[in-house]
Amino acid sequence: MSDPVFSLSDLIGESQVDDSLFAEAYGLSADGERALMKTCIARLYDWYGPRKDTAGQVSTRWRGGFDSVSRFRPVDFALVLFDESFVSPARLLAALVPAIACGVGNILAVRLDGKGNWPHPLLTAMELAGQELAADLSAERVAGLLRDLAGTGATGVVLDLAGRPDVCPDMSRLAVYRPLFDCSGSIFLDGEEDFDLEALSFAQPDIAFTVFGADVPLPEGFARGGADFAAFLDDVRDVAVVPADRIDDALDKARLVLGPGQEGCWVWPDLHPGFFLFHRTAWTLGD
């Protein structure tokens, strides 16, 4: 089967972010900030790939008296959607890098209804990840773009970080991932040297963190909880940041736990490599 023919760059036209803005953002970022993002990218590549095969087929003869053929290959495109309130370079990388590592050839980062300058950390994160295509599009333009892509016969996925179910039309060859999590985080510190809280603040500037345990200076926007570990566990919702020897307890409560050295990282726990594959299956009567 021939690959669908389309150009995301042509389809979005003048809405594309100019290359010069990526270079400008990179120049404005500090060495330490870029190091945090590079670490996040490296962790995600280790977790998701990179994928070495371009397609696969599995033929099976079943005891029940039938044969099956399963074919799979990376989808033709991926759209990563977010809005103007989205400012986390780590969470953006956690959507973009898996698509790249899993072999998706056409990837577009879309800021929905965006106006004005892009946050420099987001552009720098994309520059470091090798993501060259980004655009400001309205919800209507995104829906139209998806319909245009469907007209080519392309298969695709949408990673909707904006939480906008109204944006993506229902299509048989389009899968949508929409992570939902409590935008808060609970931190427990055993001592002053446990974590780089400034790095955590840079990577997740829109998460409301509450710090329990050791009494240390806090970045702007962080709140102080109690000193008791039990109080910390009661506070945990989706995200916990703890020393390595407390990870088991935190995993009983949180969906994502980050230990020391992972302050700039993020992964969506339920976003798996198979999401980026398009599957075909045939069942026939066996011999």
Side-chain angles (χ1 to χ4, degrees):
M1 179 179 177
S2 60
D3 294 332
V5 177
F6 62 88
S7 166
L8 286 176
S9 182
D10 290 344
L11 288 171
I12 61 177
E14 296 181 358
S15 299
Q16 182 174 340
V17 175
D18 190 86
D19 289 344
S20 64
L21 296 180
F22 287 95
E24 178 184 344
Y26 185 92
L28 291 172
S29 62
D31 290 344
E33 294 170 349
R34 293 197 294 269
L36 288 170
M37 290 185 272
K38 288 178 181 178
T39 298
C40 183
I41 291 168
R43 298 287 188 272
L44 289 164
Y45 264 103
D46 282 342
W47 189 254
Y48 284 98
R51 190 174 187 89
K52 296 179 180 179
D53 58 332
T54 58
Q57 177 170 306
V58 177
S59 299
T60 307
R61 178 158 295 174
W62 299 86
R63 287 183 177 179
F66 71 102
D67 295 343
S68 69
V69 177
S70 298
R71 293 179 180 174
F72 55 89
R73 60 181 297 172
V75 295
D76 298 310
F77 70 88
L79 266 58
V80 179
L81 308 181
F82 49 95
D83 58 24
E84 285 188 314
S85 69
F86 187 91
V87 290
S88 167
R91 298 207 305 279
L92 178 60
L93 288 171
L96 284 171
V97 174
I100 298 170
C102 291
V104 181
N106 300 279
I107 304 170
L108 173 63
V110 177
R111 185 173 65 161
L112 287 169
D113 300 320
K115 296 179 176 62
N117 296 330
W118 281 57
H120 290 147
L122 298 189
L123 291 177
T124 302
M126 286 189 279
E127 176 81 1
L128 290 170
Q131 173 57 32
E132 301 175 348
L133 200 57
D136 283 310
L137 299 176
S138 67
E140 291 76 18
R141 282 286 305 280
V142 171
L145 173 62
L146 291 171
R147 285 191 289 269
D148 289 342
L149 289 167
T152 70
T155 62
V157 298
V158 173
L159 297 104
D160 179 14
L161 306 183
R164 291 281 301 272
D166 60 306
V167 173
C168 303
D170 293 332
M171 295 179 178
S172 65
R173 295 177 177 233
L174 181 70
V176 179
Y177 175 75
R178 187 171 291 117
L180 299 176
F181 78 107
D182 189 292
C183 203
S184 65
S186 305
I187 303 172
F188 190 83
L189 303 178
D190 281 328
E192 292 189 12
E193 303 303 321
D194 284 335
F195 288 97
D196 184 345
L197 297 183
E198 293 293 343
L200 195 60
S201 177
F202 167 77
Q204 308 293 344
D206 54 345
I207 288 184
F209 285 106
T210 302
V211 180
F212 295 79
D215 187 2
V216 300
L218 301 181
E220 183 179 354
F222 283 46
R224 192 175 302 283
D228 185 59
F229 187 67
F232 158 80
L233 289 176
D234 286 341
D235 188 69
V236 172
R237 297 296 179 266
D238 285 335
V239 182
V241 181
V242 296
D245 60 354
R246 296 186 182 271
I247 283 176
D248 283 345
D249 290 327
L251 269 177
D252 288 338
K253 300 293 294 290
R255 293 170 59 196
L256 176 63
V257 179
L258 299 175
Q262 312 301 319
E263 294 91 343
C265 299
W266 190 272
V267 64
W268 298 109
D270 55 350
L271 180 59
H272 304 298
F275 175 74
F276 299 95
L277 300 178
F278 185 71
H279 297 263
R280 293 181 171 87
T281 299
W283 282 6
T284 59
L285 289 177
D287 294 337

